[in-house]
Amino acid sequence: MTPRTTHRQVFWLIAAGMLALLISVSLFVSPVNAKPPVQETEKYCLSCHGNESLSMTLPGGETLSLYIAQDDLSHSVHSSVGIECEACHNNISEYPHPENKFQTKRELSLAYYQTCEKCHSANYEKAQDSMHAQAAAAGNENAPVCTDCHGAHDVRPSDEPRSLISVTCEQCHAQIVETYRQSVHGAALMAEENPDVPVCTTCHGVHNIQDPRTSQFRVAEPELCAGCHANKELMDKYGLSADVYSIYKRSWHGVDVSVYKAKWPTIWHDSAVCSDCHGIHDIRSTGDPASMVNKENLLSTCQKCHPTAGPNWVDAWTGHNEISLERTPFLFYVEKFYGSFTPFILWACVIYVILQIVRATVDRVRSNRP
């Protein structure tokens, strides 16, 4: 075999190897815009469950619809990635199906939601420590579980649209959500899907929802609100001050709450936090006549904790704003005066004490001379 022939053979061997590699990659790597996998089991199940009239009567007397809409499955986050029916209905593998053992619809839901733990164990564990789980443990069978919030066959991204979060919570908390809709936050969310305003889960958490009536939640509230209201970039976007949190922390209320949070977080304390003055779900802009901190309503808001407060009480309140020449010129000049005068007096006292020490030392030296 000549050297020329050997080189030619090596070239073709390398070319063949690279071609085989490309073919293998094309078989195992799906293109970006590939269609979702064909759901053979899903099609088989829908041959019966795609019938709108399909239903059964449970032993408890309730009628359970067995119809599953193709559109619900098609838009579900599960079906789009190839998760089929038997992933959740793992006790059903053939037809006829096993005999139903559930007495009511709720009993069925409470049994099936536990299958969520197989794929979502972290969130499932968080939910077991939430208020909802505590309510369930106390005997409330209507306390929400995974499928009550996320759906069953129509599971979709929870924040598309973002207002859907509040609509979901509304199933159980209708009055609170209606109040929220009228607030400055809720109105912006519902009217324009504003991505910056807080929704229910922003303040209460998602799966590990805690009791907002506890002292721990109360003393942590200023930091919760500061998540948005201390964000200068976000506040500048809406023409709001980002100094509200830092000024609150320096106030009597803020210092008092900080001490309790650090030393006695489990003891309820009445020093004012954000919601005491601004409201909870009914927060409105300061210019709204219905706002608790509107100039016309501020005195009555303060009197909830300070019943003897008079008109001069609120007149002395500068709000969550730094003292400035533009907003509060009189206070600005008073602060400047004392800011200069106080150090002058202190330095004068220091100099006076030093001179007294020098004089006493000199007198002592002189008195000791022969």
Side-chain angles (χ1 to χ4, degrees), residues 239-263:
L240 299 174
S241 170
D243 297 327
V244 292
Y245 177 62
S246 61
I247 294 173
Y248 169 81
K249 284 185 68 177
R250 299 197 302 268
S251 71
W252 170 253
H253 293 152
V255 171
D256 206 19
V257 168
S258 296
V259 170
Y260 265 77
K261 182 181 179 182
K263 293 185 175 294

mmCIF file of all heavy atoms in Angstrom, residues 239-263:
data_model
loop_
_atom_site.group_PDB
_atom_site.id
_atom_site.type_symbol
_atom_site.label_atom_id
_atom_site.label_comp_id
_atom_site.label_asym_id
_atom_site.label_seq_id
_atom_site.Cartn_x
_atom_site.Cartn_y
_atom_site.Cartn_z
ATOM 1 N N GLY A 239 -42.394 58.253 40.421
ATOM 2 C CA GLY A 239 -42.313 59.543 41.079
ATOM 3 C C GLY A 239 -42.512 59.478 42.583
ATOM 4 O O GLY A 239 -43.027 60.424 43.191
ATOM 5 N N LEU A 240 -42.127 58.374 43.203
ATOM 6 C CA LEU A 240 -42.279 58.198 44.646
ATOM 7 C C LEU A 240 -40.911 58.235 45.325
ATOM 8 O O LEU A 240 -39.889 57.946 44.699
ATOM 9 C CB LEU A 240 -42.968 56.859 44.949
ATOM 10 C CG LEU A 240 -44.382 56.688 44.376
ATOM 11 C CD1 LEU A 240 -44.876 55.267 44.637
ATOM 12 C CD2 LEU A 240 -45.338 57.700 44.975
ATOM 13 N N SER A 241 -40.921 58.575 46.595
ATOM 14 C CA SER A 241 -39.675 58.633 47.347
ATOM 15 C C SER A 241 -39.239 57.235 47.759
ATOM 16 O O SER A 241 -40.059 56.418 48.186
ATOM 17 C CB SER A 241 -39.859 59.499 48.594
ATOM 18 O OG SER A 241 -38.729 59.386 49.445
ATOM 19 N N ALA A 242 -37.946 56.974 47.648
ATOM 20 C CA ALA A 242 -37.397 55.689 48.088
ATOM 21 C C ALA A 242 -36.803 55.797 49.483
ATOM 22 O O ALA A 242 -36.183 54.849 49.974
ATOM 23 C CB ALA A 242 -36.328 55.214 47.098
ATOM 24 N N ASP A 243 -37.014 56.952 50.144
ATOM 25 C CA ASP A 243 -36.450 57.179 51.472
ATOM 26 C C ASP A 243 -37.407 56.778 52.590
ATOM 27 O O ASP A 243 -37.065 56.905 53.765
ATOM 28 C CB ASP A 243 -36.085 58.657 51.658
ATOM 29 C CG ASP A 243 -35.011 59.101 50.683
ATOM 30 O OD1 ASP A 243 -34.151 58.272 50.340
ATOM 31 O OD2 ASP A 243 -35.036 60.271 50.265
ATOM 32 N N VAL A 244 -38.619 56.335 52.232
ATOM 33 C CA VAL A 244 -39.643 56.104 53.257
ATOM 34 C C VAL A 244 -39.187 55.084 54.306
ATOM 35 O O VAL A 244 -39.426 55.263 55.500
ATOM 36 C CB VAL A 244 -40.973 55.650 52.617
ATOM 37 C CG1 VAL A 244 -41.595 56.774 51.810
ATOM 38 C CG2 VAL A 244 -40.768 54.429 51.734
ATOM 39 N N TYR A 245 -38.514 54.036 53.866
ATOM 40 C CA TYR A 245 -38.106 52.998 54.816
ATOM 41 C C TYR A 245 -36.993 53.491 55.741
ATOM 42 O O TYR A 245 -37.044 53.276 56.958
ATOM 43 C CB TYR A 245 -37.661 51.754 54.058
ATOM 44 C CG TYR A 245 -37.156 50.641 54.956
ATOM 45 C CD1 TYR A 245 -37.995 50.052 55.890
ATOM 46 C CD2 TYR A 245 -35.835 50.185 54.875
ATOM 47 C CE1 TYR A 245 -37.543 49.042 56.729
ATOM 48 C CE2 TYR A 245 -35.376 49.181 55.702
ATOM 49 C CZ TYR A 245 -36.230 48.609 56.629
ATOM 50 O OH TYR A 245 -35.776 47.619 57.451
ATOM 51 N N SER A 246 -35.987 54.148 55.168
ATOM 52 C CA SER A 246 -34.876 54.628 55.994
ATOM 53 C C SER A 246 -35.356 55.673 56.995
ATOM 54 O O SER A 246 -34.898 55.700 58.145
ATOM 55 C CB SER A 246 -33.765 55.202 55.114
ATOM 56 O OG SER A 246 -34.243 56.296 54.350
ATOM 57 N N ILE A 247 -36.304 56.525 56.593
ATOM 58 C CA ILE A 247 -36.839 57.533 57.511
ATOM 59 C C ILE A 247 -37.686 56.869 58.590
ATOM 60 O O ILE A 247 -37.625 57.238 59.770
ATOM 61 C CB ILE A 247 -37.654 58.582 56.732
ATOM 62 C CG1 ILE A 247 -36.731 59.386 55.813
ATOM 63 C CG2 ILE A 247 -38.405 59.512 57.671
ATOM 64 C CD1 ILE A 247 -37.455 60.329 54.881
ATOM 65 N N TYR A 248 -38.484 55.881 58.203
ATOM 66 C CA TYR A 248 -39.295 55.139 59.186
ATOM 67 C C TYR A 248 -38.393 54.463 60.217
ATOM 68 O O TYR A 248 -38.681 54.478 61.414
ATOM 69 C CB TYR A 248 -40.158 54.095 58.468
ATOM 70 C CG TYR A 248 -40.824 53.119 59.427
ATOM 71 C CD1 TYR A 248 -41.983 53.464 60.105
ATOM 72 C CD2 TYR A 248 -40.275 51.861 59.655
ATOM 73 C CE1 TYR A 248 -42.581 52.588 60.998
ATOM 74 C CE2 TYR A 248 -40.862 50.972 60.542
ATOM 75 C CZ TYR A 248 -42.010 51.344 61.210
ATOM 76 O OH TYR A 248 -42.599 50.464 62.105
ATOM 77 N N LYS A 249 -37.278 53.877 59.773
ATOM 78 C CA LYS A 249 -36.379 53.185 60.700
ATOM 79 C C LYS A 249 -35.795 54.132 61.741
ATOM 80 O O LYS A 249 -35.472 53.718 62.861
ATOM 81 C CB LYS A 249 -35.248 52.508 59.924
ATOM 82 C CG LYS A 249 -35.651 51.237 59.211
ATOM 83 C CD LYS A 249 -34.476 50.555 58.560
ATOM 84 C CE LYS A 249 -33.506 50.003 59.577
ATOM 85 N NZ LYS A 249 -32.388 49.280 58.951
ATOM 86 N N ARG A 250 -35.641 55.420 61.373
ATOM 87 C CA ARG A 250 -35.091 56.395 62.317
ATOM 88 C C ARG A 250 -36.163 56.988 63.224
ATOM 89 O O ARG A 250 -35.845 57.680 64.180
ATOM 90 C CB ARG A 250 -34.375 57.520 61.555
ATOM 91 C CG ARG A 250 -33.204 57.048 60.707
ATOM 92 C CD ARG A 250 -32.303 58.215 60.336
ATOM 93 N NE ARG A 250 -32.989 59.271 59.610
ATOM 94 C CZ ARG A 250 -33.070 59.352 58.289
ATOM 95 N NH1 ARG A 250 -32.515 58.402 57.538
ATOM 96 N NH2 ARG A 250 -33.689 60.348 57.697
ATOM 97 N N SER A 251 -37.437 56.740 62.894
ATOM 98 C CA SER A 251 -38.526 57.280 63.696
ATOM 99 C C SER A 251 -38.705 56.452 64.967
ATOM 100 O O SER A 251 -38.158 55.352 65.102
ATOM 101 C CB SER A 251 -39.830 57.268 62.896
ATOM 102 O OG SER A 251 -40.303 55.928 62.740
ATOM 103 N N TRP A 252 -39.498 56.999 65.916
ATOM 104 C CA TRP A 252 -39.748 56.270 67.152
ATOM 105 C C TRP A 252 -40.405 54.921 66.852
ATOM 106 O O TRP A 252 -40.044 53.891 67.422
ATOM 107 C CB TRP A 252 -40.629 57.093 68.087
ATOM 108 C CG TRP A 252 -41.107 56.291 69.259
ATOM 109 C CD1 TRP A 252 -42.352 55.812 69.493
ATOM 110 C CD2 TRP A 252 -40.309 55.830 70.359
ATOM 111 N NE1 TRP A 252 -42.398 55.094 70.661
ATOM 112 C CE2 TRP A 252 -41.144 55.087 71.219
ATOM 113 C CE3 TRP A 252 -38.956 55.978 70.694
ATOM 114 C CZ2 TRP A 252 -40.695 54.502 72.389
ATOM 115 C CZ3 TRP A 252 -38.500 55.382 71.871
ATOM 116 C CH2 TRP A 252 -39.359 54.656 72.699
ATOM 117 N N HIS A 253 -41.385 54.918 65.961
ATOM 118 C CA HIS A 253 -42.052 53.663 65.604
ATOM 119 C C HIS A 253 -41.047 52.643 65.069
ATOM 120 O O HIS A 253 -41.033 51.481 65.481
ATOM 121 C CB HIS A 253 -43.130 53.916 64.535
ATOM 122 C CG HIS A 253 -44.283 54.726 65.017
ATOM 123 N ND1 HIS A 253 -45.030 55.520 64.181
ATOM 124 C CD2 HIS A 253 -44.818 54.887 66.253
ATOM 125 C CE1 HIS A 253 -45.974 56.128 64.872
ATOM 126 N NE2 HIS A 253 -45.878 55.760 66.135
ATOM 127 N N GLY A 254 -40.226 53.083 64.127
ATOM 128 C CA GLY A 254 -39.289 52.170 63.480
ATOM 129 C C GLY A 254 -38.254 51.612 64.433
ATOM 130 O O GLY A 254 -37.941 50.418 64.409
ATOM 131 N N VAL A 255 -37.703 52.475 65.293
ATOM 132 C CA VAL A 255 -36.699 52.024 66.267
ATOM 133 C C VAL A 255 -37.325 51.031 67.236
ATOM 134 O O VAL A 255 -36.744 49.983 67.553
ATOM 135 C CB VAL A 255 -36.112 53.228 67.029
ATOM 136 C CG1 VAL A 255 -35.246 52.765 68.189
ATOM 137 C CG2 VAL A 255 -35.310 54.116 66.081
ATOM 138 N N ASP A 256 -38.527 51.335 67.696
ATOM 139 C CA ASP A 256 -39.221 50.475 68.643
ATOM 140 C C ASP A 256 -39.475 49.092 68.047
ATOM 141 O O ASP A 256 -39.229 48.059 68.685
ATOM 142 C CB ASP A 256 -40.549 51.139 69.023
ATOM 143 C CG ASP A 256 -41.037 50.701 70.389
ATOM 144 O OD1 ASP A 256 -40.220 50.204 71.178
ATOM 145 O OD2 ASP A 256 -42.235 50.862 70.667
ATOM 146 N N VAL A 257 -39.975 49.067 66.817
ATOM 147 C CA VAL A 257 -40.258 47.793 66.147
ATOM 148 C C VAL A 257 -38.964 47.006 65.917
ATOM 149 O O VAL A 257 -38.932 45.778 66.086
ATOM 150 C CB VAL A 257 -41.000 48.036 64.813
ATOM 151 C CG1 VAL A 257 -41.049 46.764 63.976
ATOM 152 C CG2 VAL A 257 -42.419 48.529 65.078
ATOM 153 N N SER A 258 -37.892 47.695 65.537
ATOM 154 C CA SER A 258 -36.608 47.015 65.298
ATOM 155 C C SER A 258 -36.093 46.335 66.562
ATOM 156 O O SER A 258 -35.565 45.213 66.515
ATOM 157 C CB SER A 258 -35.566 48.015 64.790
ATOM 158 O OG SER A 258 -35.942 48.544 63.545
ATOM 159 N N VAL A 259 -36.257 47.002 67.709
ATOM 160 C CA VAL A 259 -35.807 46.419 68.982
ATOM 161 C C VAL A 259 -36.616 45.166 69.296
ATOM 162 O O VAL A 259 -36.065 44.131 69.688
ATOM 163 C CB VAL A 259 -35.928 47.451 70.121
ATOM 164 C CG1 VAL A 259 -35.693 46.786 71.469
ATOM 165 C CG2 VAL A 259 -34.944 48.582 69.910
ATOM 166 N N TYR A 260 -37.915 45.245 69.105
ATOM 167 C CA TYR A 260 -38.758 44.084 69.385
ATOM 168 C C TYR A 260 -38.458 42.930 68.427
ATOM 169 O O TYR A 260 -38.451 41.767 68.829
ATOM 170 C CB TYR A 260 -40.240 44.465 69.298
ATOM 171 C CG TYR A 260 -40.823 44.806 70.646
ATOM 172 C CD1 TYR A 260 -40.568 46.037 71.234
ATOM 173 C CD2 TYR A 260 -41.597 43.898 71.350
ATOM 174 C CE1 TYR A 260 -41.073 46.360 72.484
ATOM 175 C CE2 TYR A 260 -42.102 44.195 72.594
ATOM 176 C CZ TYR A 260 -41.841 45.426 73.165
ATOM 177 O OH TYR A 260 -42.335 45.733 74.406
ATOM 178 N N LYS A 261 -38.206 43.266 67.177
ATOM 179 C CA LYS A 261 -37.889 42.212 66.216
ATOM 180 C C LYS A 261 -36.598 41.503 66.595
ATOM 181 O O LYS A 261 -36.480 40.274 66.458
ATOM 182 C CB LYS A 261 -37.765 42.807 64.810
ATOM 183 C CG LYS A 261 -37.478 41.762 63.742
ATOM 184 C CD LYS A 261 -37.347 42.391 62.378
ATOM 185 C CE LYS A 261 -37.030 41.319 61.339
ATOM 186 N NZ LYS A 261 -36.849 41.889 60.001
ATOM 187 N N ALA A 262 -35.616 42.260 67.083
ATOM 188 C CA ALA A 262 -34.320 41.686 67.430
ATOM 189 C C ALA A 262 -34.360 40.905 68.739
ATOM 190 O O ALA A 262 -33.710 39.863 68.867
ATOM 191 C CB ALA A 262 -33.277 42.797 67.514
ATOM 192 N N LYS A 263 -35.132 41.377 69.710
ATOM 193 C CA LYS A 263 -35.089 40.784 71.043
ATOM 194 C C LYS A 263 -36.308 39.938 71.394
ATOM 195 O O LYS A 263 -36.191 38.904 72.053
ATOM 196 C CB LYS A 263 -34.924 41.896 72.089
ATOM 197 C CG LYS A 263 -33.570 42.598 72.017
ATOM 198 C CD LYS A 263 -33.432 43.598 73.149
ATOM 199 C CE LYS A 263 -32.039 44.225 73.158
ATOM 200 N NZ LYS A 263 -30.988 43.245 73.482
#
